[in-house]
Amino acid sequence: MKDEPMWFTTSRDISHILFKDWSVSSVGGLVGSCIIIIVIAVFFESLKSYKGLSNKKPEKKTSESMPLLGHLHTNESRFNLMDHLRRTFLYLVQFLVGYFLMLVAMTYNVWLFLAVVIGCGIGYFLATPFMECYFDGKRKAGSQTLDSYGRVSSFGDPGAL
């Protein structure tokens, strides 16, 4: 086994990427590996966006915008074991995928490194607005109630139907 250089190279011959059997010796193999790494990086950034936005607490409503009875139904300090287990699992998956991407970057191959960077950029570009829209819609749906006429209205949203 030859010594791997500890500087960036543009070689298409890579003895191993993450696993012993994942080696590249052709341009097609390198392109395919880059595509796989881009997909993994997009998944990583999507997971980060999902985890970050799902942990975000909804804004507290003031007493003027929320009736007294609305305060009785919220119990934000209660510990939810299943939610904590879900968040722990997401953290572990994010941690694992992040280290895989770091190890790919540590191959010092310019093309694989660019695949990590491009994949993270694409993932952030696509996932963050999508997740923000998803969670904003979920929060709005959770705060809606029916008014005295049976119409949907939101607390704190004057004139919302």
Side-chain angles (χ1 to χ4, degrees), residues 55-90:
N55 290 341
K56 193 190 246 186
K57 299 285 185 205
E59 293 178 14
K60 293 198 181 231
K61 303 206 184 257
T62 62
S63 58
E64 294 102 26
S65 67
M66 191 169 180
L68 180 61
L69 291 177
H71 291 289
L72 297 176
H73 297 293
T74 60
N75 186 2
E76 296 177 12
S77 64
R78 188 171 173 211
F79 180 75
N80 184 339
L81 178 63
M82 291 308 291
D83 187 49
H84 185 64
L85 288 173
R86 178 186 62 83
R87 289 175 196 226
T88 301
F89 176 75
L90 289 175

Short mmCIF file of all heavy atoms in Angstrom, two decimals, residues 55-90:
data_model
loop_
_atom_site.label_atom_id
_atom_site.label_comp_id
_atom_site.label_asym_id
_atom_site.label_seq_id
_atom_site.Cartn_x
_atom_site.Cartn_y
_atom_site.Cartn_z
N ASN A 55 -36.33 22.09 16.97
CA ASN A 55 -35.99 22.42 18.35
C ASN A 55 -36.38 23.84 18.72
O ASN A 55 -36.37 24.20 19.88
CB ASN A 55 -34.49 22.24 18.61
CG ASN A 55 -34.10 20.79 18.62
OD1 ASN A 55 -34.92 19.90 18.77
ND2 ASN A 55 -32.81 20.54 18.42
N LYS A 56 -36.68 24.65 17.71
CA LYS A 56 -37.01 26.06 17.96
C LYS A 56 -38.35 26.14 18.67
O LYS A 56 -39.34 25.54 18.25
CB LYS A 56 -37.10 26.79 16.61
CG LYS A 56 -37.13 28.29 16.73
CD LYS A 56 -37.47 28.87 15.37
CE LYS A 56 -36.35 29.65 14.78
NZ LYS A 56 -36.76 30.31 13.53
N LYS A 57 -38.36 26.88 19.76
CA LYS A 57 -39.58 27.06 20.54
C LYS A 57 -40.46 28.10 19.85
O LYS A 57 -39.96 29.09 19.34
CB LYS A 57 -39.27 27.54 21.96
CG LYS A 57 -38.42 26.56 22.73
CD LYS A 57 -39.21 25.39 23.17
CE LYS A 57 -38.37 24.51 24.05
NZ LYS A 57 -38.76 23.16 24.07
N PRO A 58 -41.79 27.88 19.84
CA PRO A 58 -42.65 28.90 19.27
C PRO A 58 -42.61 30.17 20.11
O PRO A 58 -42.35 30.12 21.30
CB PRO A 58 -44.05 28.26 19.30
CG PRO A 58 -43.95 27.11 20.23
CD PRO A 58 -42.50 26.74 20.33
N GLU A 59 -42.84 31.30 19.45
CA GLU A 59 -42.82 32.57 20.16
C GLU A 59 -43.95 32.60 21.18
O GLU A 59 -45.07 32.19 20.89
CB GLU A 59 -42.98 33.72 19.17
CG GLU A 59 -41.80 33.88 18.25
CD GLU A 59 -42.01 35.00 17.26
OE1 GLU A 59 -42.93 35.83 17.46
OE2 GLU A 59 -41.26 35.05 16.28
N LYS A 60 -43.63 33.12 22.36
CA LYS A 60 -44.65 33.21 23.40
C LYS A 60 -45.57 34.37 23.07
O LYS A 60 -45.13 35.44 22.67
CB LYS A 60 -44.00 33.42 24.76
CG LYS A 60 -43.21 32.23 25.18
CD LYS A 60 -42.95 32.28 26.66
CE LYS A 60 -42.14 31.08 27.02
NZ LYS A 60 -42.64 30.33 28.09
N LYS A 61 -46.86 34.14 23.27
CA LYS A 61 -47.84 35.17 23.02
C LYS A 61 -48.01 36.01 24.27
O LYS A 61 -47.91 35.52 25.38
CB LYS A 61 -49.16 34.53 22.61
CG LYS A 61 -48.99 33.63 21.40
CD LYS A 61 -50.27 33.52 20.66
CE LYS A 61 -50.10 32.56 19.52
NZ LYS A 61 -49.97 33.15 18.27
N THR A 62 -48.29 37.26 24.08
CA THR A 62 -48.49 38.14 25.23
C THR A 62 -49.89 37.94 25.78
O THR A 62 -50.77 37.38 25.11
CB THR A 62 -48.31 39.61 24.82
OG1 THR A 62 -49.30 39.92 23.85
CG2 THR A 62 -46.92 39.85 24.26
N SER A 63 -50.11 38.42 26.99
CA SER A 63 -51.42 38.22 27.62
C SER A 63 -52.51 38.98 26.89
O SER A 63 -53.67 38.60 26.95
CB SER A 63 -51.36 38.64 29.09
OG SER A 63 -50.97 39.99 29.18
N GLU A 64 -52.16 40.06 26.17
CA GLU A 64 -53.18 40.80 25.43
C GLU A 64 -53.67 40.02 24.21
O GLU A 64 -54.80 40.13 23.81
CB GLU A 64 -52.65 42.15 24.95
CG GLU A 64 -52.34 43.12 26.07
CD GLU A 64 -50.86 43.18 26.35
OE1 GLU A 64 -50.05 42.90 25.45
OE2 GLU A 64 -50.51 43.51 27.49
N SER A 65 -52.79 39.22 23.60
CA SER A 65 -53.16 38.53 22.37
C SER A 65 -53.70 37.13 22.61
O SER A 65 -54.17 36.50 21.69
CB SER A 65 -51.96 38.45 21.43
OG SER A 65 -50.98 37.62 21.99
N MET A 66 -53.65 36.66 23.84
CA MET A 66 -54.08 35.29 24.13
C MET A 66 -55.01 35.30 25.34
O MET A 66 -54.65 35.82 26.39
CB MET A 66 -52.86 34.42 24.40
CG MET A 66 -53.15 32.98 24.46
SD MET A 66 -51.56 32.11 24.44
CE MET A 66 -52.14 30.46 24.52
N PRO A 67 -56.19 34.75 25.22
CA PRO A 67 -57.11 34.75 26.35
C PRO A 67 -56.58 33.92 27.52
O PRO A 67 -55.69 33.08 27.35
CB PRO A 67 -58.39 34.14 25.79
CG PRO A 67 -58.08 33.64 24.45
CD PRO A 67 -56.74 34.13 24.05
N LEU A 68 -57.15 34.15 28.69
CA LEU A 68 -56.71 33.47 29.90
C LEU A 68 -56.81 31.96 29.78
O LEU A 68 -55.93 31.24 30.22
CB LEU A 68 -57.54 33.97 31.10
CG LEU A 68 -57.20 33.35 32.46
CD1 LEU A 68 -55.76 33.67 32.81
CD2 LEU A 68 -58.13 33.87 33.52
N LEU A 69 -57.84 31.46 29.16
CA LEU A 69 -58.01 30.01 29.03
C LEU A 69 -56.94 29.38 28.16
O LEU A 69 -56.62 28.22 28.31
CB LEU A 69 -59.39 29.68 28.46
CG LEU A 69 -60.57 29.98 29.40
CD1 LEU A 69 -61.87 29.67 28.69
CD2 LEU A 69 -60.45 29.21 30.69
N GLY A 70 -56.36 30.14 27.24
CA GLY A 70 -55.29 29.63 26.39
C GLY A 70 -54.07 29.24 27.19
O GLY A 70 -53.33 28.33 26.84
N HIS A 71 -53.81 29.94 28.29
CA HIS A 71 -52.66 29.63 29.13
C HIS A 71 -52.84 28.31 29.88
O HIS A 71 -51.87 27.67 30.24
CB HIS A 71 -52.42 30.75 30.15
CG HIS A 71 -51.93 32.02 29.54
ND1 HIS A 71 -50.67 32.14 29.02
CD2 HIS A 71 -52.55 33.20 29.34
CE1 HIS A 71 -50.51 33.36 28.54
NE2 HIS A 71 -51.64 34.02 28.72
N LEU A 72 -54.07 27.93 30.12
CA LEU A 72 -54.32 26.70 30.88
C LEU A 72 -53.98 25.45 30.09
O LEU A 72 -53.68 24.42 30.67
CB LEU A 72 -55.78 26.65 31.32
CG LEU A 72 -56.24 27.75 32.27
CD1 LEU A 72 -57.72 27.63 32.53
CD2 LEU A 72 -55.45 27.71 33.56
N HIS A 73 -54.01 25.52 28.77
CA HIS A 73 -53.81 24.33 27.94
C HIS A 73 -52.36 24.10 27.56
O HIS A 73 -52.03 23.09 26.98
CB HIS A 73 -54.66 24.41 26.67
CG HIS A 73 -56.13 24.43 26.97
ND1 HIS A 73 -56.78 23.36 27.50
CD2 HIS A 73 -57.04 25.40 26.83
CE1 HIS A 73 -58.06 23.65 27.67
NE2 HIS A 73 -58.23 24.89 27.27
N THR A 74 -51.48 25.03 27.86
CA THR A 74 -50.07 24.86 27.49
C THR A 74 -49.26 24.46 28.70
O THR A 74 -49.41 25.03 29.77
CB THR A 74 -49.48 26.15 26.88
OG1 THR A 74 -49.57 27.17 27.85
CG2 THR A 74 -50.21 26.54 25.61
N ASN A 75 -48.43 23.45 28.51
CA ASN A 75 -47.53 23.02 29.57
C ASN A 75 -46.18 22.76 28.92
O ASN A 75 -45.86 21.64 28.56
CB ASN A 75 -48.07 21.77 30.27
CG ASN A 75 -47.23 21.39 31.47
OD1 ASN A 75 -46.26 22.07 31.79
ND2 ASN A 75 -47.58 20.30 32.11
N GLU A 76 -45.39 23.84 28.72
CA GLU A 76 -44.15 23.74 27.97
C GLU A 76 -43.01 23.13 28.76
O GLU A 76 -42.00 22.75 28.20
CB GLU A 76 -43.75 25.12 27.46
CG GLU A 76 -44.74 25.68 26.47
CD GLU A 76 -44.37 27.08 26.04
OE1 GLU A 76 -43.24 27.51 26.33
OE2 GLU A 76 -45.21 27.74 25.43
N SER A 77 -43.15 23.06 30.09
CA SER A 77 -42.04 22.57 30.90
C SER A 77 -42.08 21.05 31.08
O SER A 77 -41.20 20.49 31.69
CB SER A 77 -42.06 23.26 32.26
OG SER A 77 -43.24 22.90 32.95
N ARG A 78 -43.07 20.39 30.56
CA ARG A 78 -43.21 18.95 30.72
C ARG A 78 -42.19 18.21 29.85
O ARG A 78 -42.02 18.52 28.68
CB ARG A 78 -44.63 18.54 30.33
CG ARG A 78 -44.93 17.13 30.65
CD ARG A 78 -46.40 16.86 30.45
NE ARG A 78 -46.63 15.44 30.61
CZ ARG A 78 -47.55 14.78 29.97
NH1 ARG A 78 -48.36 15.41 29.16
NH2 ARG A 78 -47.69 13.50 30.15
N PHE A 79 -41.51 17.22 30.44
CA PHE A 79 -40.51 16.43 29.73
C PHE A 79 -41.20 15.33 28.94
O PHE A 79 -42.00 14.58 29.49
CB PHE A 79 -39.52 15.84 30.73
CG PHE A 79 -38.44 15.02 30.08
CD1 PHE A 79 -37.40 15.62 29.40
CD2 PHE A 79 -38.48 13.63 30.13
CE1 PHE A 79 -36.41 14.87 28.80
CE2 PHE A 79 -37.49 12.87 29.53
CZ PHE A 79 -36.46 13.50 28.86
N ASN A 80 -40.88 15.22 27.66
CA ASN A 80 -41.47 14.20 26.81
C ASN A 80 -40.36 13.22 26.40
O ASN A 80 -39.49 13.58 25.60
CB ASN A 80 -42.10 14.87 25.58
CG ASN A 80 -42.83 13.88 24.71
OD1 ASN A 80 -42.59 12.67 24.74
ND2 ASN A 80 -43.72 14.40 23.89
N LEU A 81 -40.40 12.02 26.94
CA LEU A 81 -39.35 11.03 26.70
C LEU A 81 -39.25 10.64 25.23
O LEU A 81 -38.16 10.58 24.68
CB LEU A 81 -39.56 9.79 27.57
CG LEU A 81 -38.54 8.67 27.38
CD1 LEU A 81 -37.15 9.14 27.78
CD2 LEU A 81 -38.94 7.44 28.16
N MET A 82 -40.36 10.40 24.59
CA MET A 82 -40.33 9.98 23.18
C MET A 82 -39.75 11.09 22.29
O MET A 82 -38.98 10.81 21.38
CB MET A 82 -41.72 9.58 22.69
CG MET A 82 -42.22 8.30 23.33
SD MET A 82 -41.06 6.93 23.21
CE MET A 82 -41.10 6.59 21.47
N ASP A 83 -40.11 12.33 22.57
CA ASP A 83 -39.57 13.45 21.80
C ASP A 83 -38.06 13.56 22.04
O ASP A 83 -37.29 13.80 21.10
CB ASP A 83 -40.27 14.74 22.19
CG ASP A 83 -39.86 15.90 21.30
OD1 ASP A 83 -39.89 15.73 20.07
OD2 ASP A 83 -39.52 16.97 21.84
N HIS A 84 -37.62 13.36 23.28
CA HIS A 84 -36.20 13.41 23.59
C HIS A 84 -35.44 12.27 22.92
O HIS A 84 -34.33 12.46 22.41
CB HIS A 84 -35.99 13.37 25.11
CG HIS A 84 -34.57 13.54 25.52
ND1 HIS A 84 -33.87 14.71 25.29
CD2 HIS A 84 -33.71 12.70 26.12
CE1 HIS A 84 -32.64 14.57 25.74
NE2 HIS A 84 -32.50 13.36 26.25
N LEU A 85 -36.02 11.08 22.87
CA LEU A 85 -35.39 9.95 22.18
C LEU A 85 -35.29 10.22 20.68
O LEU A 85 -34.27 9.91 20.06
CB LEU A 85 -36.16 8.65 22.44
CG LEU A 85 -36.02 8.07 23.84
CD1 LEU A 85 -36.98 6.89 24.02
CD2 LEU A 85 -34.59 7.65 24.12
N ARG A 86 -36.32 10.81 20.09
CA ARG A 86 -36.30 11.15 18.66
C ARG A 86 -35.19 12.16 18.38
O ARG A 86 -34.41 12.00 17.44
CB ARG A 86 -37.65 11.72 18.24
CG ARG A 86 -37.71 12.14 16.77
CD ARG A 86 -39.02 12.83 16.42
NE ARG A 86 -39.21 14.05 17.16
CZ ARG A 86 -38.68 15.24 16.83
NH1 ARG A 86 -37.91 15.35 15.78
NH2 ARG A 86 -38.92 16.32 17.54
N ARG A 87 -35.07 13.19 19.23
CA ARG A 87 -34.04 14.20 19.04
C ARG A 87 -32.64 13.61 19.23
O ARG A 87 -31.70 13.98 18.54
CB ARG A 87 -34.25 15.35 20.01
CG ARG A 87 -35.45 16.19 19.67
CD ARG A 87 -35.68 17.24 20.73
NE ARG A 87 -37.00 17.78 20.61
CZ ARG A 87 -37.27 19.07 20.64
NH1 ARG A 87 -36.30 19.94 20.81
NH2 ARG A 87 -38.49 19.50 20.53
N THR A 88 -32.51 12.69 20.19
CA THR A 88 -31.22 12.03 20.41
C THR A 88 -30.83 11.20 19.20
O THR A 88 -29.68 11.23 18.76
CB THR A 88 -31.29 11.14 21.67
OG1 THR A 88 -31.63 11.97 22.80
CG2 THR A 88 -29.96 10.45 21.93
N PHE A 89 -31.78 10.46 18.63
CA PHE A 89 -31.50 9.66 17.43
C PHE A 89 -31.09 10.56 16.27
O PHE A 89 -30.12 10.27 15.56
CB PHE A 89 -32.73 8.82 17.06
CG PHE A 89 -32.55 8.05 15.80
CD1 PHE A 89 -31.75 6.92 15.78
CD2 PHE A 89 -33.16 8.44 14.62
CE1 PHE A 89 -31.57 6.19 14.61
CE2 PHE A 89 -32.99 7.74 13.46
CZ PHE A 89 -32.18 6.61 13.45
N LEU A 90 -31.80 11.67 16.06
CA LEU A 90 -31.45 12.60 14.99
C LEU A 90 -30.05 13.17 15.21
O LEU A 90 -29.29 13.34 14.26
CB LEU A 90 -32.47 13.73 14.90
CG LEU A 90 -33.84 13.37 14.36
CD1 LEU A 90 -34.78 14.56 14.44
CD2 LEU A 90 -33.75 12.86 12.94
#
